[in-house]
Amino acid sequence: MKPSVLFVCVHNAGRSQMAAAWLSHLAGDRVEVRSAGSTPADQVNPAVIEAMREVGIDLSAETPRLLTYDAVEAADICITMGCGDACPIFPGKRYLDWALPDPAGQGITAVRPIRDEIKALVEALIANFIS
């Protein structure tokens, strides 16, 4: 059975979208990937779409989704990025918190280093938890 990873940030318009895209891109079908937000935005941040397009990943069709109890319950690993107490806690789940700057309202120059840091974190996640 392949592991399930849920990435959660406040708006599901930047960090969690980039993390989910990186994990899908780098791990392929070895993992089930989801992302959500405690207060989802109307659309993915355009600077995030542009930054990911620069590395060959298209987020233009993605839409922010609301974090649900069921999504957390279904995940083996839940990775939060600034959503605080909005993410429910279930016994037996692995929780990680990635302290990353919020790309909201930032231009492409500020988003690129966040994108690259997320890639490094996802590579470490794959090395440590995804077989």
Side-chain angles (χ1 to χ4, degrees):
M1 207 166 116
K2 61 184 168 182
S4 174
V5 178
L6 173 66
F7 294 100
V8 182
C9 68
V10 176
H11 300 297
N12 190 222
R15 295 167 289 186
S16 58
Q17 290 283 352
M18 287 190 282
W22 275 124
L23 184 55
S24 293
H25 180 75
L26 296 170
D29 64 359
R30 294 183 292 156
V31 64
E32 185 177 307
V33 182
R34 292 187 188 89
S35 71
S38 53
T39 310
D42 294 332
Q43 65 182 13
V44 174
N45 179 333
V48 166
I49 292 172
E50 183 180 348
M52 293 302 285
R53 186 176 290 132
E54 290 178 349
V55 295
I57 299 173
D58 184 7
L59 291 180
S60 62
E62 297 300 323
T63 56
R65 289 177 283 298
L66 178 64
L67 175 65
T68 65
Y69 184 88
D70 291 341
V72 178
E73 186 176 32
D76 297 308
I77 302 170
C78 183
I79 300 173
T80 58
M81 302 171 210
C83 67
D85 295 335
C87 190
I89 303 294
F90 289 92
K93 304 283 180 196
R94 180 179 304 276
Y95 290 89
L96 302 171
D97 185 59
W98 291 353
L100 296 160
D102 189 347
Q106 302 294 320
I108 186 71
T109 303
V111 173
R112 285 182 185 120
I114 300 168
R115 172 200 66 199
D116 297 343
E117 185 176 355
I118 291 171
K119 180 183 181 194
L121 289 165
V122 167
E123 289 171 335
L125 176 74
I126 292 168
N128 292 314
F129 301 112
I130 311 294
S131 52

